[in-house]
Amino acid sequence: MSDGFIDELRNALGQNSVLSGAAIDARYHHDLAGNPVPKPRAVVRPKTTEDVSALLRLCHRAKVPVISDCIMSTRPRSATSSKSWFTT
């Protein structure tokens, strides 16, 4: 995932809806068991159904994987990837 793609997400969803770099809270660096997980390149916080649709459309087009926060703590280790990804 490029910085350009993160900028595209910010343009579509708003600056405050997309976190990256140091703005990503440490809770996204570990699962609930305290096991480290790869740091996401971005965390997106959509505010509306339309935002979710736009987010998924952009990610599908760019072939960027999405991991939902509601499954972040329960995903199997096999789902952990070293590829660039982000969570919602």
Side-chain angles (χ1 to χ4, degrees), residues 9 13 44 46 51-60 86 88:
L9 290 172
L13 304 171
V44 180
D51 286 352
V52 173
S53 295
L55 167 66
L56 295 177
R57 187 173 40 257
L58 289 168
C59 290
H60 177 74
F86 69 93
T88 59

Side-chain angles (χ1 to χ4, degrees), residues 22-73:
I24 297 174
D25 189 272
R27 75 182 181 110
Y28 294 104
H29 302 184
H30 296 86
D31 63 19
L32 285 180
N35 300 313
V37 296
K39 183 179 175 184
R41 290 282 319 272
V43 174
V44 180
R45 296 178 178 165
K47 294 181 175 97
T48 66
T49 303
E50 291 78 13
D51 286 352
V52 173
S53 295
L55 167 66
L56 295 177
R57 187 173 40 257
L58 289 168
C59 290
H60 177 74
R61 186 198 72 216
K63 298 180 180 174
V64 172
V66 175
I67 297 175
S68 174
D69 188 51
C70 65
I71 64 168
M72 176 70 89
S73 62

Side-chain angles (χ1 to χ4, degrees), residues 3-25:
D3 290 337
F5 182 71
I6 293 172
D7 290 339
E8 188 174 356
L9 290 172
R10 285 188 176 116
N11 288 335
L13 304 171
Q15 294 293 320
N16 296 331
S17 293
V18 182
L19 306 175
S20 63
I24 297 174
D25 189 272

